[in-house]
DNA sequence: CTAAACTGATCCGGGGCCGAAACGGATCTG
DNA sequence: CAGATCCGTTTCGGCCCCGGATCAGTTTAG
């Protein structure tokens, strides 16, 4: 079952979702932060700073800072790799899972009443 | 025809689209800027600073600055309201239309190969 | 015609994010 | 071992955004 989505529907969907997230006074993540969050939760581990930087085509310091911010929000956490202590493994948190599940529900809800 | 979209599909869709826009070195709009852009193009005129501020639940200076940025990118333009010269009418541009059409195509494309 | 009301823009102090470069710690290599 | 290499972090100067208060211009009310 492939997903049929016309251009005008795509824009309407995006508008409703973005508008809703802007109106709520939630965490207000940047595009990069959100991309990192989604990548960590949707692709298989391990996730390192260097790996994320390459995958997002972004500098390493940008990843470090984003991890600081996401860590402070408790949406993600760092853990030293005991096998190779140079590495830092980025891991999920309960709060992050809840956050993304809520977001997914928002999108599906908006999509549902899109073309009623 | 209503739109069926499961939570896991919603997240995958969002990830692919956000990842793609992060990787390209495009305009890199903030959430608010993007919300303004979508609102102006998808809802019926007129669009004023005050109206947008209320509709997005954001301060007026934030709207003014966002319009500065979007105007500099030529994605939107300002026009004094000749009927009531206190108002500023926010209007579309050709470049903005192209930008949003390209974005819509990206979303539909990603959605198409989502669950092939 | 003046005073009040309303519009959008600007000022201000504060905070976040940016990438290049330099840094300290861990690991590999010869 | 010591030197080179790899890792994530920190430093640095610079830029953009934030909202409350204030401003100048316009319109309305008395």
């Amino acid at each position: 079952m492939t997903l049929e989505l016309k251009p005008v529907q795509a824009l309407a969907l995006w508008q409703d979702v973005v508008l809703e997230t802007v109106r709520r006074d939630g965490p207000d993540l940047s595009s990069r932060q959100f991309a990192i969050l989604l990548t960590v939760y949707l692709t298989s581990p391990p996730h390192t700073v260097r790996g994320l930087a390459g995958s997002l085509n972004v500098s390493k310091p940008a990843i470090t800072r984003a991890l600081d911010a996401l860590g402070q929000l408790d949406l993600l956490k760092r853990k030293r790799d005991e096998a190779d202590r140079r590495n830092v493994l980025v891991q999920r948190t309960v709060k992050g899972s809840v956050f993304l599940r809520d977001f997914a529900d928002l999108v599906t809800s908006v999509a549902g009443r899109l073309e009623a």
Side-chain angles (χ1 to χ4, degrees), chain A residues 64-105:
Chain A
T64 293
R65 281 187 300 263
L67 292 182
D68 289 344
L70 293 170
Q72 197 127 17
L73 293 170
D74 198 22
L75 299 177
L76 232 49
K77 65 182 175 187
R78 281 185 257 231
K79 186 175 185 307
R80 274 243 107 82
D81 181 357
E82 292 303 332
D84 183 344
R85 295 183 49 78
R86 287 173 299 182
N87 289 329
V88 162
L89 304 178
V90 183
Q91 300 182 322
R92 312 171 189 179
T93 64
V94 173
K95 197 168 174 185
S97 303
V98 171
F99 177 81
L100 281 188
R101 189 168 44 71
D102 286 350
F103 178 77
D105 289 344

Side-chain angles (χ1 to χ4, degrees), chain A residues 16-87:
Chain A
D16 287 353
V17 173
V18 172
L19 219 60
E20 188 57 33
T21 57
V22 166
R23 279 199 259 243
R24 311 184 203 257
D25 32 23
D28 187 34
L29 307 178
S30 72
S31 300
R32 289 184 177 182
Q33 293 169 347
F34 200 41
I36 292 174
L37 193 63
L38 285 167
T39 298
V40 170
Y41 277 80
L42 294 182
T43 68
S44 47
H47 298 287
T48 66
V49 171
R50 185 170 193 76
L52 290 170
S55 144
L56 297 203
N57 193 28
V58 160
S59 71
K60 281 191 300 175
I63 300 294
T64 293
R65 281 187 300 263
L67 292 182
D68 289 344
L70 293 170
Q72 197 127 17
L73 293 170
D74 198 22
L75 299 177
L76 232 49
K77 65 182 175 187
R78 281 185 257 231
K79 186 175 185 307
R80 274 243 107 82
D81 181 357
E82 292 303 332
D84 183 344
R85 295 183 49 78
R86 287 173 299 182
N87 289 329

